[in-house]
Amino acid sequence: MPKSPFEIPPSDSFLNAPLRATIDLQALADNWRFMSRQSGKARAGAVVKADAYGLGIEDAGQTLYNAGARDFFVAVPPEGETLRIYAPDARIFVLSGLWEGMEDIFFDNDLVPVIASEEQLAFWMRTVAEHGDHPCAMHVDTGFNRLGLSMEDALYLASDVSRPASFSPVLLLSHLACADDPASPMNQKQLEAFRTIRAAFEGIEASLSASAGTFLDSDYHFDLTRPGISLYGAEAVNGVANPMKPVVKAEARIIQVRNAKAGETVSYGAACTLNRDSRLAIASVGYADGYLRNLSGHGVALRNTGLSGASGFIAGHKVPVVGRVTMDMTIFDVTDVPEKAVSAGDYIEVFGPNMPIDDVARNAGTIGYEMLTSLGLRYERHYLEAE
């Protein structure tokens, strides 16, 4: 029988770390398989940029490769160079494209540049003229106004009889601006534009949808989808129950539990005045660890969510943040937790299965993407292996 991922023993350094992140690679693999089914007739790729959204491109990349992913997307060439070790025969697309001086890393690691501008296109044509054929992809802007050739330039290129035969993209792609809002008319507008581009480049595979777009109807799937945030357990679509499995549990060790009197103040700026005698747990997590200052319970003018700040989870209870989150420490009110259930040295969950990352992010006025990719270097990581 395969070993359950929960049977992998954590290291002593993990068990005693001030901050720790448990990463369930089985859940990651299951989420990719879910998105593969959601993609219908299209293949599902895997976006692993930003160190696999903070989880570690080495472990995440190998897990996704073993699950069946064969098309990967990274942001910059060094990410692709690292990933190549763990995805030996996959296609690895570099979304930022290629610039002079970086040719070797693409050719040596068989990376596919995503050509995203006229400047990159001109340089790539010179490069393949010198080095010989090499696959590339082409990004066309259909309304996002970020990266991509304009519609006009792309259509001109498609009909340009002087285009070198060596310039032969293996993939056309664009990116949806409003896919997280299924009712947005922008989705249909971009879909129609992308269909025009695809028709002009007949016979080349096409990819329009990242995670959110994959949850739109099958018209948006084309040949290849690019799930990212959904793989890591966070929400892709606004206002819809999240079907993905949580992948990360982030915990902070409690340094001290202290008693404070009604009328006393808590943390910087004395922004919180206690209205009852309280027990406060000081945990070793702060904004240096990606636990954003806007998660503070009090005294942060930048947050304009109408929410009261974040909570943690310990001993079966949600406990609110009080006062301001500081660089290395956050204070939680554990008054309503049985006294013997919380002690110095215990761990409090700051996000994870009991504190969904998107709920925590909303309390900061942000999104789960930022919470994940902001995980600091001080987290000791423990990976629950996939079967």
Side-chain angles (χ1 to χ4, degrees):
M1 289 289 291
K3 183 178 286 188
S4 164
F6 297 98
E7 294 175 9
I8 306 298
S11 65
D12 289 342
S13 60
F14 177 85
L15 292 172
N16 298 300
L19 285 164
R20 61 193 194 186
T22 303
I23 298 165
D24 187 345
L25 296 176
Q26 183 64 57
L28 177 67
D30 290 345
N31 285 345
W32 182 84
R33 293 186 180 104
F34 179 96
M35 293 304 291
S36 180
R37 294 190 297 272
Q38 183 68 29
S39 299
K41 295 180 180 179
R43 298 192 315 281
V47 181
V48 293
K49 61 185 180 178
D51 199 29
Y53 288 55
L55 274 63
I57 195 171
E58 298 89 348
D59 292 272
Q62 186 163 46
T63 297
L64 293 165
Y65 179 84
N66 290 343
R70 289 298 181 270
D71 297 275
F72 288 84
F73 294 85
V74 298
V76 293
E79 293 176 335
E81 183 178 28
T82 299
L83 178 63
R84 176 55 71 201
I85 300 168
Y86 302 94
D89 60 350
R91 291 196 303 182
I92 301 175
F93 296 89
V94 180
L95 293 166
S96 63
L98 175 73
W99 287 100
E100 188 171 359
M102 306 184 75
E103 302 93 324
D104 287 349
I105 192 172
F106 279 86
F107 286 91
D108 292 349
N109 296 281
D110 194 22
L111 306 180
V112 182
V114 178
I115 305 303
S117 69
E118 284 292 323
E119 295 87 352
Q120 289 187 349
L121 177 61
F123 175 66
W124 180 248
M125 288 185 174
R126 295 196 303 270
T127 300
V128 293
E130 179 180 345
H131 290 269
D133 289 354
H134 188 86
C136 72
M138 190 171 74
H139 190 150
V140 180
D141 176 50
T142 54
F144 199 104
N145 266 319
R146 193 173 62 175
L147 286 180
L149 296 173
S150 69
M151 290 281 295
E152 294 78 11
D153 287 340
L155 291 172
Y156 176 80
L157 182 64
S159 61
D160 184 3
V161 295
S162 66
R163 187 181 78 195
S166 57
F167 177 72
S168 181
V170 297
L171 183 70
L172 300 170
L173 65 87
S174 191
H175 195 61
L176 295 166
C178 301
D180 57 352
D181 177 7
S184 173
M186 188 71 177
N187 296 324
Q188 185 66 30
K189 180 180 177 181
Q190 288 190 261
L191 175 62
E192 291 171 1
F194 192 62
R195 282 172 168 164
T196 299
I197 292 296
R198 190 191 192 192
F201 287 88
E202 187 177 357
I204 297 175
E205 288 193 334
S207 176
L208 178 62
S209 292
S211 290
T214 307
F215 286 101
L216 298 174
D217 66 55
S218 60
D219 287 347
Y220 292 83
H221 292 169
F222 291 91
D223 301 295
L224 176 66
T225 62
R226 309 189 304 272
I229 192 64
S230 57
L231 303 181
Y232 307 102
E235 294 176 5
V237 182
N238 298 331
V240 176
N242 183 12
M244 313 313 296
K245 293 181 178 180
V247 175
V248 187
K249 180 169 72 171
E251 300 172 288
R253 197 164 204 177
I254 294 173
I255 304 170
Q256 182 187 28
V257 179
R258 63 184 303 122
N259 296 313
K261 298 290 187 182
E264 293 181 351
T265 61
V266 181
S267 197
Y268 282 120
C272 169
T273 300
L274 298 173
N275 58 17
R276 62 176 179 172
D277 291 350
S278 302
R279 283 185 300 117
L280 307 177
I282 294 83
S284 57
V285 64
Y287 55 76
D289 310 298
Y291 200 67
L292 307 174
R293 189 170 180 268
N294 267 12
L295 293 167
S296 300
H298 308 81
V300 178
L302 294 175
R303 189 181 65 237
N304 188 27
T305 65
L307 302 173
S308 59
S311 296
F313 187 86
I314 190 167
H317 292 72
K318 286 181 66 174
V319 294
V321 173
V322 289
R324 290 177 180 164
V325 173
T326 67
M327 183 181 291
D328 313 298
M329 286 174 276
T330 298
I331 303 166
F332 295 87
D333 185 343
V334 295
T335 309
D336 295 327
V337 182
E339 187 169 351
K340 294 183 178 179
V342 181
S343 303
D346 291 344
Y347 285 87
I348 186 167
E349 181 183 318
V350 294
F351 67 79
N354 301 296
M355 295 296 305
I357 189 168
D358 296 287
D359 291 349
V360 177
R362 273 187 281 273
N363 280 280
T366 188
I367 53 178
Y369 297 72
E370 186 175 17
M371 297 293 298
L372 274 178
T373 57
S374 297
L375 281 171
L377 297 175
R378 295 192 292 202
Y379 279 92
E380 185 77 19
R381 286 162 166 76
H382 172 53
Y383 291 89
L384 304 176
E385 299 295 333
E387 294 178 355

